[in-house]
Amino acid sequence: MTYYAWIIKARGRQDIKHVTTLAGIYDVLRVVELPGFAPPEWLTIDAEIADHGHYTHNEGGEDEWSLAWTKIDDTPIAD
């Protein structure tokens, strides 16, 4: 299973930092109800994403928020 360290930054909100799977990132994005979250086309549970990256929604606008991620592990967890 692949894990990512990531951070969500949004104006007027405390930063959210976690280490989860891609599905975990998606779940948090759904729950925090960020402006314009659809989800972005690049964030799907079944798709591969880059090992690291940054996404900014509405850059420079009132509803700006961002997500940055870094792949940290893809080693299966032993039972």
Side-chain angles (χ1 to χ4, degrees):
M1 189 169 290
T2 304
Y3 287 86
Y4 298 86
W6 53 268
I7 184 170
I8 297 171
K9 294 183 178 188
R11 292 178 190 221
R13 296 184 187 208
Q14 188 173 22
D15 293 350
I16 302 171
K17 302 175 187 179
H18 283 289
V19 174
T20 64
T21 61
L22 186 58
I25 297 171
Y26 178 81
D27 288 344
V28 171
L29 285 168
R30 265 189 317 113
V31 170
V32 297
E33 298 180 0
L34 294 166
F37 179 68
E41 295 172 5
W42 52 264
L43 184 60
T44 61
I45 292 173
D46 297 327
E48 289 287 326
I49 64 170
D51 288 350
H52 63 277
H54 185 268
Y55 170 80
T56 301
H57 171 78
N58 196 29
E59 188 169 3
E62 276 186 31
D63 293 336
E64 180 178 324
W65 61 269
S66 66
L67 167 65
W69 67 91
T70 300
K71 180 179 172 182
I72 59 169
D73 190 8
D74 59 1
T75 305
I77 297 174
D79 289 338

